[in-house]
Amino acid sequence: MDVIGVEGEVAGSAGARAVPVGEWEREPHPSDSLRTFGAVVQALREHAGLSRADLGARVQYSKHTVESVELGRRMPDEAFVERAEEALGNTGALRKAARHLTRGEAGLAAWFRRWARLEREAVSLCTYECRLVPGLLQSEGYARAVFEGTIPLRTDEELEVQLAARMERQVMMRERPTVPFSFIVEEHVFRRTFGDVEASREMLDHVLELTAPRNVTLQVVPLGARLHACLDGPLQILETSEGRRLGYSEGQQNGRLISDPKEMILLCQRYDTLRSQALNPTESRDLLERLRGEL
């Protein structure tokens, strides 16, 4: 995953300055906010009847840099924002939009990044998983095995970036001891083999460790349980500091953020119903410890 440096020279107008190579680096993971900011720049530029070269001359950057900003490939610096604001009508739109710029999160799928930001600020988080151990509970060995099995295959560098991002997400669970985290996971997920016996034991130990604090609840849906209301697939529900509930579901190469209040009422009802059908937290921990002992 090469990082491409910015062009060394800006437009050759009077007062133009050379931009040191590397001052702006191409964003390897463009964020939604960068794309949105770029779209605003492009819309204002076109409304003003300017070409990219024209705007580049006015902001003292090359037309290629303007293009990169408009496409969300580069994080604009303060000078670009201020000069573009002045050149495009001083509406205040660019200054305000720039306050919300964030870089793309390396190692996270594009469709998951917004949810990852939301869960860091959530006042509660509920997760149902029927495919694999939830990312917030995965051991490093388990996560590595997951990434090694994905298609298309990743380079070693890309795999390490993904692995680091997944482990970093778990930090918030340790740093936020007053936030309730609830997990409901199907028993077969923990029975699925990967790696050797030691790796499986390490995974179960990791799950037991992360779910031991009082603010974290793990419930297992046993193999003998009947069909239930969450069979449509994995589900995550969070509550914001404003009391709003949002959901997230994920499938093949896509993820969906759910905000419609009526749909959220339905999803919360499904989750609460499944919670009553799963083993209680004590029984669930006992089951995981038995599984570990069987290895």
Side-chain angles (χ1 to χ4, degrees), residues 6-21:
V6 72
E7 303 83 2
E9 297 290 333
V10 297
S13 60
R17 64 185 179 86
V19 180
V21 174

Side-chain angles (χ1 to χ4, degrees), residues 9-18 53-62 83:
E9 297 290 333
V10 297
S13 60
R17 64 185 179 86
D54 293 335
L55 179 59
R58 297 191 183 194
V59 299
Q60 301 177 23
Y61 286 93
S62 72
R83 292 170 188 168

